[in-house]
Amino acid sequence: MTVPAGAARMAGAPTALAGPVMGAPRSASLIDTSRFWRVPMTMQQSQGWLAAHAPGGLSATGSASSTSGSVVTSVGSAYTDDRPSSAWQNAMLDIGIAPAGASASVWRADGIALWLDSTPATAPAGGSRLAVTVASGCPRSDRGATDVTPGPSSSLLPAGSPMAGLICSYNGLNGAAFALRSRARLTTTQAGRLARSAATIDLAHTDGGSVVCPNDDESVTVIAFSYADGARASLWLTETGCRSISNGTIDAGDYPSLSAFATTVAGLLPR
């Protein structure tokens, strides 16, 4: 990033800007590279300069300030890198400015991102597993179940194209609690298309940290596949809260690729 003329690099963070001015996610995947300067401008002048020289290629996405009584002690601006990446997510530049005497200010810039672990995440262990196969059909209820029987460890489904499929959708806490809501048997063509859609779901993920999810009514859709060699596989798709998908061994979170798959599944169920 460009800084004003006369800016002097500082070896460490100024006291008024001890951390990223906009905060940072609590995650083991956090990348945070920081730089610090003393600038021969007041905080207000620095704000004006930054507004006129916003970082190129980034989108302004937020601002913040802190006060002590009626005195503003720091201000901050956030700029987001909207370019997609298979290596990281939530890339942004935070710039904080605080006063340093009557005619100067200190700046802090943090380049922040969450790197993505390419190894599939392990599905939570324990709990009752719902056994669903194309041949046996949909169980009447998924009450007490937390996942499906274990599948492959490096992909959601086995290699190859399935011969048939079955979708079983359950109510969760709504209506007849945990009862089968709807079902659909899939042709070879439909099952193959759905399996190819599942293969596009991004298995990369961040490590650690906390996530705040919307209300989860525990509604679930299970998708089962059968293959010509006798192999069977099933997927557990949570529909509310933080949407996720699991094959009983690994799981994936609520990224756009999962949303696209969930939309395709919903379109195959009877209305």
Side-chain angles (χ1 to χ4, degrees):
M1 60 172 281
T2 303
V3 294
R9 280 284 298 271
M10 299 172 63
T15 302
L17 298 169
V21 70
M22 303 294 288
R26 293 184 178 181
S27 171
S29 296
L30 178 65
I31 303 167
D32 181 2
T33 300
S34 305
R35 297 289 186 272
F36 319 100
W37 296 267
R38 183 180 177 90
V39 175
M41 294 179 175
T42 66
M43 183 173 68
Q44 290 75 17
Q45 290 170 336
S46 289
Q47 284 182 273
W49 189 95
L50 181 60
H53 301 81
L58 305 178
S59 303
T61 52
S63 61
S65 64
S66 60
T67 60
S68 177
S70 60
V71 178
V72 177
T73 55
S74 69
V75 294
S77 300
Y79 304 86
T80 299
D81 186 346
D82 298 317
R83 293 171 296 179
S85 171
S86 60
W88 63 79
Q89 66 181 26
N90 299 345
M92 63 190 305
L93 173 65
D94 285 359
I95 301 176
I97 303 172
S103 58
S105 60
V106 285
W107 287 37
R108 175 182 179 127
D110 288 87
I112 294 172
L114 296 175
W115 67 270
L116 296 175
D117 187 341
S118 61
T119 303
T122 302
S128 175
R129 303 302 180 100
L130 191 68
V132 181
T133 68
V134 174
S136 64
C138 297
R140 287 185 164 185
S141 172
D142 71 337
R143 183 182 294 275
T146 59
D147 210 332
V148 292
T149 51
S153 60
S154 59
S155 61
L156 288 172
L157 294 173
S161 187
M163 297 299 294
L166 175 69
I167 302 175
C168 309
S169 182
Y170 293 92
N171 282 333
L173 296 171
N174 297 314
F178 305 106
L180 181 66
R181 178 173 58 208
S182 61
R183 75 190 85 186
R185 287 197 173 272
L186 307 181
T187 66
T188 299
T189 298
Q190 289 173 323
R193 287 176 180 169
L194 194 55
R196 288 191 292 275
S197 178
T200 68
I201 294 173
D202 193 351
L203 300 180
H205 59 94
T206 58
D207 293 320
S210 58
V211 178
V212 177
C213 296
N215 183 56
D216 184 358
D217 66 8
E218 300 185 41
S219 55
V220 168
T221 295
V222 177
I223 308 100
F225 297 94
S226 61
Y227 296 79
D229 63 359
R232 299 179 298 186
S234 54
L235 301 173
W236 178 272
L237 174 64
T238 60
E239 300 176 3
T240 58
C242 286
R243 180 182 282 162
S244 64
I245 191 165
S246 169
N247 69 355
T249 300
I250 60 174
D251 64 13
D254 194 5
Y255 297 125
S257 57
L258 176 54
S259 296
F261 174 79
T263 298
T264 301
V265 170
L268 292 169
L269 287 166
R271 297 183 181 275

